[in-house]
C-alpha cells in the first residue's frame, strides 16, 4: 500500500510538467525511500531520472515496492485539476490497476478525488555509472533557461565551451550567430545568483536545442541548475529538490569522425 | 528468398527479439543494406500510376534509379548512414533455387502472353511483376548512381546478406538491413526489415536482435541454422511433411539435423510420413551459413562523401530524364545531412540492463495474452495495454 501526502500539490505538478514533454509513458517506482522514475525518450537521446525522497512528503508510507505505470499526458490533465496549495495524497494498493489522487483545499472542506488507470509499461533500464566529469557548472536555472531560449531562435544546436574562467554558449544558424559568455561570480546576499565553475578539463560540447528546450522545463523546480559535462559523453543537467532531484542525461552531437 | 515461417516462429516464441519502431529512431546508425534485394524490390515497387515501370527516353527502365535515389535520401535525412552491399557470384548450391526461379519467371512470361488480350489489368500486372529480374546493367547503374551520391557500396564476393551480417558483427555498422530472414543465420547483431520500404506505406521498421532471437528460442547458432535449413532455405531441399511447428519441436528435442535424420530413419512410421531427400546436401548448406565467403571487415573502409552535383544532374536528368529541380533538391539534402553533426545516442554510453528471466517470462505471457485478446477484440495491436483487473 502506498500513501504519500504532499504539503502542496504544486511540487508534483511541476515535476510532471517538467518531464511530460520528454517522455510519455513511464514507471513510477515507489519504495520506502520515496518515488523514482527512469525513462528514456523515444529517440534514446535524453534520459530522465527522478527521485522524490520520502522527506519531501509530509506523510509517507510504502511497505512494499509498487510500480505505477503512468501515461504522463493523462496524469498531467488530472493533476492540473487540483489547486497549487492543496494537500495532495497519492494512494495505491499493492498490485494496483489504478492510482488515486486526493486534493484537499486548505481553506475549505472541499475534497476532490481522481483516479488514473495504470498501464503495463515495458521499458528498458539503462545502467548509469557514476562518472568523473571534465567540468561542473552551477548557475541560476532561470538564466540558463533564457540563454537556451534566446539561442534556439538561431540554430538547432547549442555549443557549450567551458574554460577555467568562463562559460560560453554559442549558436550558429543560417540567419546569424549568437553567443553568451558568463563569468563565475559569488553573490553573498543571494547565493542562488552565484555562478561556479569546477574544471578538470576544458570542455567543448554540442547539444540539440530541441532536447535542451525540454530540459529547461524543470526550471521552476530549483533556483539553480547543475550541469556536468565531459567531452564526447552524455551531459548531466540536474535540478535539486528539497530531498531528491530531477536529472536529465543528454547525449551530445558529434562532428563526424 | 528467405526462410519460410521463421518470422512467425520468432515473433511467437521469442517476441523480445523483435522491436518495431519508426525510421527516425535509427538516426546516427550506420546500416549495411542488401543492395541486390533492394534493386529487385525497387524494380517491382517503383511504378507509374498506370503500373508501368519508370523509363527514360530510350525506353530503358529507371525504376531502380528512382528507388536508390529517393529511398537513400529518406534514410540519410533521418540521420542513417547507409552502405550498400551487392551480391557476388551465387554459391554453387544456389543453382537449383535459381533454376527454379527462372522456370517460374518463364512460366509467368508465358502466362502473361496468354492473357495479354483476355485478362484483366490486375492479372496482367500480377504476371508482369513476376517476370521482373535485375540485370547486370541495372546493378552497374545503381552502383554508378551511389558513387555520384557519395554513398559507399561493397561488392561482396558471394551472398550480400552474409557480408552485411559480418559488417554488423564486426562493429563496422550497427545493423544489417534485408527482408530475408536467412540473414539471421549469419549472426548480425541486428537485422532491420522494411528499412527500404517507401515512406507512403508507413510500415514500421522491425529490428530483430539475432542473439536474443536465438537464445530465446532456446537454440545455439548451429541448431538455429539447422532449423532454418529444415524450414526451407535457398541452398537445399527440405524434408517433406515437416512444417514450421514440427521443425521447431524436432530441433528443440534433437539439437541438430544429424540426430533428426537418425531419429526418423529408426522409426518406420515416421520414415513413411517424412521423406528425407536422397543425397541430401544439408551439411554443405550448413557450412555455407557457418562460414560464408566474405571480405574481412578489416579490409573495408567506409566513407560517406559529398554528392557530385553536376555528375548527378548529367546522369539522372540528361541521361535518364529525371526532373532537374528534384535531383538538385535531393543532392542538397545529402549534403546538408553530411554536414550537420550526428546526434549521439545514450545507449552507446549507458548499457541496457538485461531483463531477468522472470521478467522476460512475465512479458512473454503478457504479450501472448494481449495478442489473444487483441484477436478477440479485433483491435489494433499496442505495445502497452491497460492493466486488467484480476
Amino acid at each position: 500500500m502506498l500513501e504519500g501526502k504532499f504539503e502542496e500539490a504544486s511540487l508534483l505538478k511541476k515535476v510532471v510538467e517538467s518531464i511530460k514533454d520528454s517522455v510519455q509513458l513511464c514507471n513510477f517506482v515507489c519504495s520506502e525511500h520515496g518515488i523514482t522514475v527512469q525513462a528514456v525518450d523515444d529517440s534514446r537521446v535524453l534520459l530522465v531520472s527522478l527521485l522524490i525522497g520520502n522527506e519531501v512528503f509530509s506523510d509517507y508510507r510504502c511497505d512494499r515496492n509498487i510500480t505505477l505505470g503512468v501515461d504522463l499526458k493523462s496524469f498531467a490533465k488530472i493533476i492540473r485539476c487540483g489547486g497549487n496549495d492543496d494537500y495532495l495524497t497519492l494512494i495505491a494498493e499493492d498490485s494496483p490497476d489504478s492510482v488515486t489522487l486526493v486534493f484537499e483545499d486548505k481553506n475549505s472542506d472541499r475534497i476532490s478525488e481522481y483516479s488514473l488507470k495504470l498501464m503495463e509499461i515495458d521499458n528498458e533500464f539503462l545502467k548509469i555509472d557514476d562518472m568523473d566529469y571534465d567540468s561542473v557548472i552551477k548557475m541560476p536555472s532561470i538564466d540558463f533557461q533564457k540563454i537556451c531560449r534566446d539561442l534556439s531562435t538561431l540554430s538547432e544546436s547549442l555549443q557549450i565551451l567551458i574554460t577555467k574562467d568562463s562559460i560560453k554558449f554559442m549558436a550558429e544558424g543560417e540567419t546569424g550567430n549568437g553567443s553568451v559568455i558568463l563569468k563565475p561570480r559569488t553573490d553573498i546576499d543571494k547565493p542562488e545568483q552565484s555562478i561556479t565553475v569546477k574544471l578538470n578539463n576544458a570542455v567543448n560540447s554540442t547539444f540539440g536545442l530541441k532536447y535542451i528546450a525540454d530540459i529547461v522545463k524543470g526550471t521552476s523546480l530549483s533556483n539553480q541548475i547543475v550541469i556536468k559535462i565531459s567531452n564526447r559523453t552524455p551531459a548531466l543537467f540536474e535540478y535539486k529538490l528539497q530531498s531528491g532531484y530531477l536529472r536529465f542525461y543528454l547525449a551530445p552531437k558529434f562532428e563526424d569522425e | 528468398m528467405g526462410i519460410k515461417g521463421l518470422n512467425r516462429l520468432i515473433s511467437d516464441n521469442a517476441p523480445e527479439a523483435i522491436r518495431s519502431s519508426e525510421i527516425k529512431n535509427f538516426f546516427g546508425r550506420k546500416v549495411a543494406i542488401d543492395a541486390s534485394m533492394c534493386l529487385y524490390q525497387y524494380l517491382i515497387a517503383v511504378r507509374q500510376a498506370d503500373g508501368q515501370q519508370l523509363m527514360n527516353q530510350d525506353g530503358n527502365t529507371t525504376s531502380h534509379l528512382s528507388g536508390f535515389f529517393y529511398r537513400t535520401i529518406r534514410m540519410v535525412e533521418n540521420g542513417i548512414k547507409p552502405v550498400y552491399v551487392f551480391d557476388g557470384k551465387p554459391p554453387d548450391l544456389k543453382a537449383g533455387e535459381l533454376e527454379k526461379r527462372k522456370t517460374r519467371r518463364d512460366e509467368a512470361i508465358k502466362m502473361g502472353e496468354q492473357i495479354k488480350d483476355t485478362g484483366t489489368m490486375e492479372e496482367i500486372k500480377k504476371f508482369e511483376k513476376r517476370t521482373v529480374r535485375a540485370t547486370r546493367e541495372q546493378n552497374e547503374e545503381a552502383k554508378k548512381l551511389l558513387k555520384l551520391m557519395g554513398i559507399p557500396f561493397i561488392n561482396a564476393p558471394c551472398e550480400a546478406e552474409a557480408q552485411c551480417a559480418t559488417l554488423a558483427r564486426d562493429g563496422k555498422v550497427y545493423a544489417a538491413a534485408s527482408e530475408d530472414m536467412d540473414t539471421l543465420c549469419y549472426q548480425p547483431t541486428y537485422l532491420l526489415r522494411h528499412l527500404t520500404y517507401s515512406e507512403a506505406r508507413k510500415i514500421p521498421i522491425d529490428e530483430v536482435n539475432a542473439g536474443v532471437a536465438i537464445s530465446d528460442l532456446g537454440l545455439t547458432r548451429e541448431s538455429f541454422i539447422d532449423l532454418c535449413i529444415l524450414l526451407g532455405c535457398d541452398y537445399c531441399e527440405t524434408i517433406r511433411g515437416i512444417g514450421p511447428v514440427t521443425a521447431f519441436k524436432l530441433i528443440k528435442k534433437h539439437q541438430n539435423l544429424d540426430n533428426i535424420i537418425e531419429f526418423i530413419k529408426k522409426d518406420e512410421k515416421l520414415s513413411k510420413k517424412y521423406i528425407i531427400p536422397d543425397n541430401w546436401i544439408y551439411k554443405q548448406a550448413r557450412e555455407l551459413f557457418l562460414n560464408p565467403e566474405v571480405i574481412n571487415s578489416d579490409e573495408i573502409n567506409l566513407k560517406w562523401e559529398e554528392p557530385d552535383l553536376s555528375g548527378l544532374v548529367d546522369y539522372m536528368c540528361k541521361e535518364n530524364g529525371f526532373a532537374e529541380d528534384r535531383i538538385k533538391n535531393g543532392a542538397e539534402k545529402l549534403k546538408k545531412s553530411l554536414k550537420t553533426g550526428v546526434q549521439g545516442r545514450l545507449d552507446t554510453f549507458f548499457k541496457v540492463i538485461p531483463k531477468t528471466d522472470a521478467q522476460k517470462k512475465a512479458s512473454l505471457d503478457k504479450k501472448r495474452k494481449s495478442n489473444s485478446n487483441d484477436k478477440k477484440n479485433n483491435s489494433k495491436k499496442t505495445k502497452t495495454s491497460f492493466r486488467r483487473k484480476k
Side-chain angles (χ1 to χ4, degrees):
Chain A
M1 175 96 185
L2 164 78
E3 230 182 282
K5 184 172 181 183
F6 292 93
E7 193 62 30
E8 288 182 342
S10 61
L11 176 73
L12 193 61
K13 270 186 161 186
K14 284 182 197 160
V15 167
V16 173
E17 289 296 328
S18 312
I19 59 177
K20 76 168 194 341
D21 295 311
S22 310
V23 288
Q24 192 182 353
L25 303 176
C26 61
N27 282 324
F28 283 68
V29 180
C30 313
S31 71
E32 53 176 328
H33 306 295
I35 298 178
T36 55
V37 171
Q38 196 209 77
V40 188
D41 84 315
D42 289 338
S43 58
R44 297 186 163 200
V45 174
L46 183 65
L47 180 140
V48 178
S49 171
L50 169 74
L51 168 67
I52 307 177
N54 55 11
E55 287 164 36
V56 170
F57 299 85
S58 52
D59 273 316
Y60 187 80
R61 180 188 145 202
C62 180
D63 335 308
R64 254 195 273 161
N65 287 6
I66 296 175
T67 301
L68 309 173
V70 170
D71 179 342
L72 285 175
K73 292 252 152 45
S74 322
F75 197 47
K77 277 183 203 156
I78 287 186
I79 206 163
R80 273 187 215 127
C81 303
N84 279 339
D85 305 328
D86 291 0
Y87 294 114
L88 164 60
T89 313
L90 292 180
I91 302 165
E93 293 161 31
D94 269 348
S95 42
D97 41 43
S98 69
V99 59
T100 306
L101 291 85
V102 181
F103 298 96
E104 290 168 78
D105 191 312
K106 284 170 188 159
N107 303 317
S108 69
D109 292 332
R110 192 185 69 221
I111 294 178
S112 348
E113 194 178 307
Y114 295 88
S115 85
L116 176 73
K117 277 189 197 158
L118 297 174
M119 328 263 296
E120 289 293 349
I121 298 167
D122 182 18
N123 65 349
E124 286 173 334
F125 233 71
L126 296 181
K127 185 171 183 296
I128 300 167
D129 300 314
D130 282 334
M131 287 193 285
D132 286 329
Y133 288 90
D134 287 341
S135 177
V136 177
I137 55 180
K138 215 170 171 185
M139 62 182 286
S141 54
I142 201 151
D143 291 358
F144 181 67
Q145 182 182 41
K146 175 161 168 43
I147 291 168
C148 297
R149 288 200 175 151
D150 291 348
L151 293 179
S152 68
T153 56
L154 292 169
S155 170
E156 292 174 0
S157 307
L158 174 73
Q159 195 179 353
I160 304 181
L161 294 125
I162 306 170
T163 57
K164 190 163 87 264
D165 49 9
S166 77
I167 311 161
K168 186 174 181 186
F169 300 93
M170 274 177 24
E172 290 177 13
E174 276 173 26
T175 55
N177 303 332
S179 71
V180 178
I181 298 173
L182 301 177
K183 303 264 179 194
R185 58 186 285 252
T186 321
D187 194 321
I188 298 166
D189 296 330
K190 292 185 199 144
E192 71 274 11
Q193 290 293 324
S194 300
I195 299 173
T196 59
V197 177
K198 261 192 256 165
L199 190 85
N200 295 325
N201 284 307
V203 169
N204 178 358
S205 253
T206 306
F207 302 96
L209 270 166
K210 78 168 179 170
Y211 298 104
I212 301 237
D214 285 337
I215 292 175
V216 296
K217 288 182 177 138
T219 300
S220 61
L221 285 169
S222 177
N223 290 326
Q224 290 249 312
I225 180 169
V226 181
I227 306 173
K228 301 182 179 181
I229 307 187
S230 289
N231 290 310
R232 300 188 75 85
T233 46
L236 168 59
F237 301 81
E238 181 180 61
Y239 297 96
K240 286 214 162 70
L241 307 180
Q242 175 206 333
S243 155
Y245 51 76
L246 174 60
R247 288 177 181 159
F248 293 93
Y249 292 86
L250 176 62
K253 279 180 139 178
F254 299 122
E255 291 306 314
D256 206 19
E257 62 266 38
Chain B
M1 275 281 123
I3 284 163
K4 287 170 212 105
L6 183 59
N7 193 22
R8 182 74 198 279
L9 200 69
I10 292 177
S11 55
D12 282 355
N13 296 289
E16 289 286 310
I18 305 180
R19 265 176 47 147
S20 294
S21 54
E22 287 173 66
I23 188 165
K24 65 174 202 282
N25 291 347
F26 292 94
F27 67 86
R29 300 291 200 199
K30 295 174 183 168
V31 176
I33 302 168
D34 179 351
S36 305
M37 164 109 243
C38 292
L39 186 60
Y40 185 71
Q41 194 185 341
Y42 298 155
L43 285 171
I44 290 182
V46 180
R47 298 283 165 136
Q48 293 171 348
D50 62 0
Q52 290 288 311
Q53 286 182 321
L54 309 184
M55 278 180 214
N56 63 11
Q57 57 269 42
D58 303 329
N60 293 324
T61 304
T62 56
S63 286
H64 55 302
L65 296 178
S66 170
F68 271 103
F69 189 72
Y70 291 112
R71 295 198 189 169
T72 303
I73 287 174
R74 178 178 174 230
M75 285 182 245
V76 172
E77 266 195 301
N78 279 291
I80 297 171
K81 294 195 150 189
V83 43
Y84 284 93
V85 181
F86 287 86
D87 270 333
K89 62 164 184 30
D92 297 339
L93 290 191
K94 215 175 175 175
E97 169 69 20
L98 293 177
E99 187 60 35
K100 253 190 245 161
R101 284 186 207 170
K102 189 170 177 303
T103 328
R104 271 203 296 263
R105 218 164 29 231
D106 290 344
E107 266 169 29
I109 294 175
K110 241 187 261 160
M111 281 299 288
E113 288 292 323
Q114 272 176 25
I115 61 161
K116 207 161 80 183
D117 303 320
T118 54
T120 63
M121 276 296 276
E122 299 289 299
E123 282 171 332
I124 294 174
K125 255 190 232 172
K126 193 171 86 187
F127 284 106
E128 199 270 327
K129 283 192 177 174
R130 281 194 203 163
T131 63
V132 169
R133 65 184 288 259
T135 64
R136 189 181 298 266
E137 291 73 38
Q138 285 163 342
N139 265 295
E140 291 311 315
E141 285 161 7
K143 286 179 197 171
K144 184 171 176 190
L145 173 61
L146 289 173
K147 183 130 188 47
L148 291 170
M149 290 170 76
I151 304 290
F153 62 86
I154 296 167
N155 295 309
C158 196
E159 295 271 36
E161 297 108 287
Q163 186 74 58
C164 289
T166 309
L167 285 170
R169 199 171 57 243
D170 294 339
K172 279 274 172 184
V173 298
Y174 170 76
S178 174
E179 303 312 314
D180 276 2
M181 288 298 275
D182 56 4
T183 313
L184 287 177
C185 296
Y186 304 110
Q187 286 238 301
T189 37
Y190 296 98
L191 166 66
L192 302 186
R193 304 184 73 214
H194 318 325
L195 179 67
T196 53
Y197 280 16
S198 92
E199 196 166 2
R201 288 176 68 184
K202 295 209 166 44
I203 292 179
I205 294 171
D206 280 350
E207 179 182 332
V208 188
N209 183 328
V212 171
I214 292 173
S215 71
D216 279 9
L217 287 176
L219 300 174
T220 61
R221 185 182 172 196
E222 286 74 20
S223 55
F224 180 74
I225 290 173
D226 279 6
L227 172 68
C228 291
I229 294 173
L230 203 50
L231 290 172
C233 66
D234 289 348
Y235 300 141
C236 64
E237 295 170 83
T238 58
I239 301 179
R240 257 194 296 139
I242 296 186
V245 178
T246 322
F248 185 47
K249 251 190 235 158
L250 285 171
I251 286 283
K252 286 280 263 192
K253 201 165 155 205
H254 303 281
Q255 286 87 44
N256 62 37
L257 280 174
D258 312 81
N259 293 349
I260 291 175
I261 291 171
E262 203 177 307
F263 170 73
I264 292 176
K265 279 192 176 155
K266 258 200 301 204
D267 191 316
E268 213 171 294
K269 234 167 94 191
L270 279 181
S271 36
K272 270 195 194 130
K273 197 166 158 201
Y274 303 131
I275 298 141
I276 297 166
D278 300 331
N279 305 322
W280 199 24
I281 49 171
Y282 69 93
K283 279 189 182 149
Q284 288 92 316
R286 186 196 283 159
E287 184 55 29
L288 274 180
F289 282 122
L290 274 174
N291 299 307
E293 191 184 344
V294 289
I295 306 173
N296 195 328
S297 295
D298 296 339
E299 294 166 25
I300 291 171
N301 197 6
L302 301 174
K303 237 183 136 187
W304 286 264
E305 282 161 357
E306 277 218 10
D308 172 356
L309 183 59
S310 65
L312 275 174
V313 171
D314 279 347
Y315 185 58
M316 291 296 275
C317 309
K318 294 197 181 127
E319 282 181 44
N320 288 301
F322 283 81
E324 192 168 323
D325 55 329
R326 296 186 68 183
I327 297 299
K328 277 189 174 160
N329 198 345
E332 228 19 77
K333 286 178 184 165
L334 284 172
K335 219 160 133 186
K336 191 176 165 233
S337 312
L338 193 76
K339 247 198 273 169
T340 47
V342 178
Q343 172 66 58
R345 307 177 60 106
L346 282 176
D347 43 11
T348 47
F349 300 101
F350 302 136
K351 291 280 160 275
V352 175
I353 299 171
K355 284 195 177 146
T356 58
D357 285 345
Q359 279 171 323
K360 262 189 201 167
K361 198 175 165 290
S363 81
L364 185 68
D365 290 348
K366 232 178 277 156
K367 265 187 199 172
R368 281 210 181 122
K369 217 165 153 193
S370 74
N371 276 352
S372 63
N373 278 331
D374 284 344
K375 268 177 215 151
K376 266 181 226 153
N377 303 338
N378 214 1
S379 64
K380 242 170 91 185
K381 209 162 129 187
T382 48
K383 227 179 161 180
T384 43
S385 51
F386 281 114
R387 290 183 186 171
R388 286 168 226 274
K389 265 225 151 72
K390 279 165 202 150

